[in-house]
Amino acid sequence: MSDMILEPFAAYLRFAFSDPKPIEEWTEILKRFLERSAMLCEKAGPCVVGHIKGLALLSGDRYVRVSVISPSLPAQAETNASANLAEMTVTLNMLVYGLSKKSLEGIVKETAAGPGTGWSGRVTVEPVEAATRGDHAGHHRGC
Amino acid sequence: MHLLVITGFLGSGKTTFIVKLVKIAMEKGLKVAIIVNEIGETGIDDQFMKKLGFNVWEILGGCICCTLAGDLVRTLQELQGNYAPDVVIVEPSGAADPGNLFGALGTSRIESLTSERKIALLDPLRMDMLMAVLEPLMISTIRQADLILINKADLASPEQIEQTRRVAAEANPVSGIMVISAKNDLEPRVLSEILSCLT
């Protein structure tokens, strides 16, 4: 395990639906997204899901927070929002030992493509540029 | 200036716990600053805490347990000079080794610190798995703490909590161990224990 790489992958997920959806439905969609991503991590090879988490900052002091810590545990969500929304941007951070950043990006894109998640909207994935926060690739090999 | 360092592996509930703690400390009239060190190309925890209106300082571009240990010391010194908080809460990345972090803090001179508390959060839902694959990090986390909180009491089975308690007590027989659910209200005895160093 100590040899497993930790290459965090971060992205902005832009969800769009044709009709506004209640926040309860959003939290279920986001939970399913993260659970599916964690499952695909496990299928991709030997790895340990540290934390896959997402945050949507909504208007005012409203937010939706979602996270998963294992492919075998349900995702958790928390929100103080109540509005119906047709679009949402979620900042995603994946901290998974054993999978490269490229693999994680592929997993997120596969999840966004929809099969197995059951949603009818569109999700685009925009990776966060490493330059904005420094590149941590492989950093925790020797920490 | 009191220092609370909240350690714990990724996903152990540090941010949820800190949010709860900061709200309580602010209700008591304390001026609180939070230093967040999150690995990854974007910070989620700092954005969330800022959204809640907390005073958050980020340390970016690496890990405060090794490459950025100096940045943590500098940030603490600057905070004292510019903001003068009563309490500084540090949330290291869940991938950080607290042994390295406290080593760096211990050798630095931060004269304004009146107390230092090291609290470790443990996740009983994954204790078995984490001990199997990350034992040195888990043991270091437990050994460095002067208070160990077994989190997620609302989700874990009694067996998982007991097993986590056994591991913690074996690795660190000296420090107190408490069971909490950071998602829910913290019990008065837990709060009293955590905040005892601040009064």
Side-chain angles (χ1 to χ4, degrees):
Chain A
M1 173 65 212
S2 57
D3 291 335
M4 276 190 175
I5 56 164
L6 176 58
E7 292 187 3
F9 172 70
Y12 300 114
L13 308 177
R14 304 192 197 285
F15 290 79
F17 292 89
S18 49
D19 300 310
K21 294 187 179 299
I23 206 72
E24 294 77 15
E25 199 169 328
W26 274 105
T27 58
E28 287 309 310
I29 289 166
L30 298 178
K31 280 162 69 175
R32 284 208 302 277
F33 192 101
L34 265 57
E35 286 167 356
R36 174 90 179 140
S37 295
M39 240 168 54
L40 291 174
C41 286
E42 193 177 41
K43 278 172 72 176
C47 68
V48 173
V49 174
H51 205 179
I52 302 175
K53 52 187 169 178
L55 176 70
L57 298 175
L58 309 177
S59 62
D61 61 353
R62 305 294 166 184
Y63 64 86
V64 181
R65 213 175 146 216
V66 60
S67 83
V68 70
I69 56 168
S70 164
S72 55
L73 292 170
Q76 303 287 314
E78 181 204 354
T79 183
N80 61 355
S82 56
N84 289 359
L85 300 165
E87 295 181 351
M88 192 180 287
T89 297
V90 176
T91 306
L92 177 79
N93 202 3
M94 297 182 79
L95 302 166
V96 180
Y97 288 85
L99 296 180
S100 68
K101 181 185 282 192
K102 198 174 172 192
S103 301
L104 295 174
E105 182 174 351
I107 284 166
V108 174
K109 286 182 172 166
E110 187 179 338
T111 308
T117 48
W119 64 67
S120 54
R122 185 168 49 86
V123 191
T124 54
V125 179
E126 181 193 327
V128 177
E129 290 302 320
T132 61
R133 275 187 60 119
D135 190 350
H136 311 279
H139 164 69
H140 272 272
R141 278 176 210 266
C143 198
Chain B
M1 184 167 84
H2 301 280
L3 179 66
L4 287 180
V5 184
I6 313 295
T7 64
F9 187 62
L10 300 163
S12 58
K14 294 186 295 298
T15 304
T16 303
F17 174 71
I18 288 171
V19 165
K20 202 53 60 92
L21 201 58
V22 171
K23 284 181 178 168
I24 292 164
M26 286 167 70
E27 280 168 16
K28 289 181 180 293
L30 295 169
K31 193 171 172 184
V32 183
I34 305 162
I35 300 175
V36 178
N37 172 228
E38 199 173 352
I39 60 166
E41 283 144 4
T42 188
I44 299 258
D45 300 336
D46 60 292
Q47 286 184 54
F48 173 56
M49 288 195 271
K50 281 177 185 167
K51 186 77 166 175
L52 297 177
F54 297 170
N55 297 301
V56 183
W57 279 257
E58 299 170 276
I59 296 182
L60 309 175
C63 175
I64 55 171
C65 81
C66 47
T67 53
L68 297 182
D71 287 27
L72 174 61
V73 172
R74 270 191 297 280
T75 305
L76 285 168
Q77 288 164 338
E78 284 169 16
L79 267 177
Q80 177 56 29
N82 302 334
Y83 186 68
D86 300 306
V87 189
V88 179
I89 297 178
V90 177
E91 181 183 2
S93 153
D97 183 339
N100 296 344
L101 169 63
F102 293 127
L105 275 177
T107 55
S108 60
R109 286 172 58 85
I110 306 169
E111 288 165 2
S112 51
L113 287 186
T114 47
S115 73
E116 184 181 329
R117 187 111 222 226
K118 305 162 187 171
I119 299 174
L121 262 72
L122 301 180
D123 178 358
L125 300 175
R126 294 185 294 170
M127 199 62 186
D128 264 350
M129 184 274 289
L130 293 176
M131 283 299 286
V133 298
L134 276 173
E135 186 178 346
L137 178 59
M138 300 311 294
I139 295 297
S140 175
T141 301
I142 294 166
R143 285 202 177 135
Q144 294 294 329
D146 51 40
L147 177 64
I148 298 159
L149 299 177
I150 301 173
N151 192 18
K152 307 188 184 180
D154 54 318
L155 298 172
S157 68
E159 292 76 24
Q160 287 172 318
I161 290 172
E162 196 42 47
Q163 192 251 350
T164 304
R165 191 194 296 274
R166 268 200 306 274
V167 171
E170 196 173 307
N172 183 346
V174 178
S175 299
I177 301 173
M178 292 178 148
V179 179
I180 66 162
S181 167
K183 240 168 61 176
N184 301 317
D185 286 338
L186 298 174
E187 285 177 45
R189 68 185 182 92
V190 175
L191 270 179
S192 155
E193 173 62 30
I194 296 166
L195 298 175
S196 59
C197 68
L198 309 182
T199 52

